Amino acid sequence: MKKLADRLLHRLTNHETASNADHHWTGEGTSSLRHRQDRRMPLQGVRLHISDRYVVMDNGILQVTLSNPGGIITGINYNGVDNVLEVRNKETNRGYWDLHWNEPGGKGIFDVISGESFRVIVETEEQVEISFLRTWNPSLEGKYIPLNIDKRFIMLRGSSGVYSYGIYEHLKEWPGFELGETRIAFKLRKDKFHYMAVADDRKRIMPFPDDLCKERCQTLDYQEASLLTAPCDPHLQGEVDDKYQYSCENKDLRVHGWISFDPPVGFWQITPSNEFRSGGPLKQNLTSHVGPTTLAVFHSTHYAGKTMMPRFECGEPWKKVYGPVFIYLNSTANRDESLFLWDDAKIKMMAEVESWPYSFVASEDYPKSEERGTARGRLLVCDRFVSNDLISAQGAYVGLAPPGDAGSWQIECKGYQFWAITDEAGYFSIDNVRPGEYNLYAWVPGFIGDYHNNIVVSVTSGCKIELGDIVYEPPRDGPTLWEIGIPDRKASEFFIPDPDPTLVNRVLVHPQDRFRQYGLWKRYTDLYPNDDLVYTIGVSDYRKDWFFAHVPRKKGDVYEGTTWQIRFKLENVDQKANYKLRVAIASATLAELQVRVNDADATRPLFTTGLIGRDNSIARHGVHGVYMLYTVNIPGNRFVQGDNTIFLKQPRCNGPFQGIMYDYIRLEGSP
């Protein structure tokens, strides 16, 4: 670690140093990184300074400047740095809420949300909460999204950061719209923040934003992916940079950000709850990337496609609170300790999670802890072909989400979701649920399908709902004749090849991150230049012999569909019975799955999904997108005694990213 720090510090020798070396403010983390103010001196109260153009929140640890009445964060003064945000950017391109929307059937519009009026919600020595409101009226139709948007910012005494949340409201009489994305974005100083951390196994020196200009890089198969050909830091020569390599599932997306080494300062975005994010715990979102940029993404269509885009109709009232999220800054006086700022940020994140729901948020639209409810129970699995007894659903995800169909929580994006993970005995407690009406959903690692109870669960203020024992019966009609993979909604257990050695990101060397390397879809053509994958039950190993993505093969300048084979033996065939092929799909992008049995050239497939999927996970380095489960009924007379083959054809081939990632495949025999 010290060698890395030394190299980082050497890289920064030509940049300006801190103007106040004795000003040792830090965050609220571990011992050596704590605030070093004399404990005999009381912490300064929060102060609010208002002028015609700016509003400043100041608690003595940091000062946050926002435009008045726009509510754009133009500056953050911390630890002797006048502004940790990029001072060379326009004030509207430093720290801001934004969204991407369109009228039904119209073109997309990007909007940096700027308030029209400013007001003080709370102003005490302990806390300041301020509001920047943009209201909508019919004269704005087609120009702004038909929402009232109230952006709030909170600063607390003694806190090394600032909270932000937003209240979006659509009135019944207003026109409809579609919302593609909404988030908070921060653009940090590129002369200071060079080290990024998203997870313990994804943290590194990052390229400079200048490295992504055409003189210093080569754009690869899409504009977000670049091969660094002449980077400012020669150690990064020949690496690939792609912001999607740093995506993260909501359940793991709690803290990420950047470290400056001169002075040693950390800037972190902490999201303590997923209740307001779209798509549930497995939805993947962007985090931080070259810029240096840090995002708090509340809603996006990434890794899901248009199915994740909510459409609001005229006559449909809607209100939602996004956040609060916490922007945390920390520092240390010792530059050799700079990399430990990440550890401190993780500790602070855990404290914020424990504090959720916050007690200090002033809006009536944000219920406090005592105004929320709890639902408890135990989840069991009934699969008589696995066990005659009920099975404890260990490690299952159990959630309350808006009423819908089984699995609808994956693409749900208008309401709130609350999830828990079961213990070894299958018990769960879903805590801090906002009042409202929900369905109960679940999925269990090791079993296919989705549990769904369509009985409405009404959560009221302070309620404690006992759900008792809940039994999930996963799809099953007969004994397992053979299976491929692990039913965990991901393709990560399958064969993930080494990347092209000329297209490597050297931070993604951990086995669990192999799938994040760029260009792995191309490796299928390298491994199967002429003939397609053949998997033999009882001989092949899915970890080595089942390619993680069923993609087209490139032939010259064109692509061709591919057909995979599953070969297996049946000693006894019941010609009058029906067999079931269960195909769980982890991801699909403008693809089609055709199933044929013992006749690869049959004009009509036994089964086809038709065109499915828009999650684009193959290109964006994900091993899953939106989960789908298909059951293929195979009449016994399609099989023969002895050798049989099931053909899986993916014929769509207009580009390299059309394809399927399988989660799990199982052939069931006659009951």
Side-chain angles (χ1 to χ4, degrees), residues 6-202:
D6 289 343
R7 180 158 68 88
L8 284 162
L9 295 174
H10 176 72
R11 169 177 171 174
L12 300 172
T13 52
N14 293 326
H15 295 297
E16 62 180 307
T17 58
S19 60
N20 187 351
D22 296 324
H23 190 55
H24 299 318
W25 294 111
T26 71
E28 301 160 289
T30 52
S31 57
S32 65
L33 302 172
R34 284 189 180 278
H35 182 192
R36 304 185 182 190
Q37 185 178 22
D38 189 332
R39 294 183 181 275
R40 294 170 298 181
M41 297 176 61
L43 292 171
Q44 174 186 307
V46 189
R47 297 170 182 171
L48 187 61
H49 308 279
I50 303 171
S51 67
D52 290 341
R53 293 187 57 198
Y54 300 102
V55 178
V56 180
M57 295 186 290
D58 182 355
N59 66 0
I61 300 174
L62 75 164
Q63 300 82 43
V64 177
T65 302
L66 302 103
S67 62
N68 185 7
I72 307 295
I73 301 178
T74 63
I76 300 177
N77 182 311
Y78 175 75
N79 195 47
V81 182
D82 289 340
N83 197 348
V84 300
L85 303 181
E86 182 50 79
V87 294
R88 284 168 283 196
N89 285 3
K90 293 181 179 180
E91 289 191 342
T92 54
N93 187 29
R94 296 179 185 177
Y96 53 89
W97 285 70
D98 68 32
L99 55 81
H100 192 273
W101 72 286
N102 58 270
E103 296 178 304
K107 294 183 178 180
I109 301 172
F110 176 74
D111 179 13
V112 173
I113 304 166
S114 183
E116 298 171 331
S117 63
F118 162 73
R119 61 186 174 131
V120 178
I121 306 298
V122 177
E123 185 177 9
T124 69
E125 288 278 304
E126 301 301 317
Q127 170 183 346
V128 162
E129 178 169 340
I130 54 179
S131 162
F132 299 88
L133 177 65
R134 187 175 81 183
T135 56
W136 192 88
N137 64 70
S139 69
L140 300 173
E141 186 168 356
K143 181 178 180 182
Y144 289 126
I145 188 170
L147 289 173
N148 287 337
I149 299 179
D150 187 356
K151 300 184 297 179
R152 301 281 187 97
F153 299 88
I154 302 171
M155 180 176 283
L156 305 179
R157 184 203 290 262
S159 175
S160 185
V162 62
Y163 297 86
S164 186
Y165 68 104
I167 306 166
Y168 290 24
E169 182 177 24
H170 179 251
L171 299 186
K172 182 178 180 180
E173 62 272 18
W174 289 352
F177 66 94
E178 294 176 336
L179 180 62
E181 182 176 77
T182 189
R183 64 187 188 176
I184 306 176
F186 292 93
K187 307 294 181 64
L188 306 182
R189 289 181 61 161
K190 67 179 182 179
D191 64 332
K192 293 188 178 297
F193 291 93
H194 302 129
Y195 188 91
M196 188 182 82
V198 172
D200 285 336
D201 56 358
R202 284 190 288 167

Side-chain angles (χ1 to χ4, degrees), residues 241-394:
D241 177 76
D242 182 348
K243 66 181 181 180
Y244 293 112
Q245 292 179 320
Y246 301 102
S247 295
C248 192
E249 292 177 350
N250 282 344
K251 66 181 178 62
D252 302 318
L253 210 175
R254 297 293 199 190
V255 57
H256 58 92
W258 293 81
I259 294 173
S260 161
F261 287 83
D262 188 10
V265 166
F267 183 99
W268 310 102
Q269 194 277 302
I270 294 176
T271 304
S273 171
N274 287 319
E275 67 180 48
F276 44 80
R277 282 174 168 160
S278 299
L282 301 185
K283 172 67 170 65
Q284 297 159 96
N285 278 311
L286 292 172
T287 58
S288 292
H289 57 80
V290 167
T293 299
T294 289
L295 304 174
V297 180
F298 303 121
H299 165 74
S300 80
T301 59
H302 290 145
Y303 302 94
K306 291 184 178 180
T307 55
M308 182 61 79
M309 182 180 291
R311 179 167 185 163
F312 297 88
E313 306 290 346
C314 180
E316 179 181 0
W318 176 71
K319 181 183 281 190
K320 187 170 184 178
V321 177
Y322 291 109
V325 297
F326 185 46
I327 307 308
Y328 175 59
L329 290 91
N330 58 2
S331 65
T332 176
N334 186 347
R335 292 198 292 179
D336 289 338
E337 294 179 339
S338 297
L339 296 180
F340 291 106
L341 293 171
W342 164 243
D343 298 310
D344 175 68
K346 290 187 295 180
I347 293 171
K348 181 59 178 172
M349 174 271 292
M350 290 187 286
E352 295 297 314
V353 171
E354 288 296 317
S355 299
W356 188 272
Y358 295 133
S359 61
F360 52 79
V361 178
S363 173
E364 294 180 355
D365 295 307
Y366 177 85
K368 308 301 188 294
S369 179
E370 63 274 12
E371 299 171 316
R372 297 175 177 234
T374 297
R376 297 180 296 193
R378 179 171 63 159
L379 183 63
L380 303 168
V381 177
C382 177
D383 188 336
R384 63 189 177 90
F385 291 98
V386 175
S387 172
N388 291 326
D389 300 321
L390 293 176
I391 304 165
S392 297
Q394 178 180 355

Side-chain angles (χ1 to χ4, degrees), residues 21 62 93 104 166 172 201 218 233 265 378 484 498 569 601 617 625 655:
L62 75 164
N93 187 29
K172 182 178 180 180
D201 56 358
Q218 173 191 340
D233 183 343
V265 166
R378 179 171 63 159
I484 301 172
D498 292 330
K569 292 181 180 293
D601 300 319
S617 295

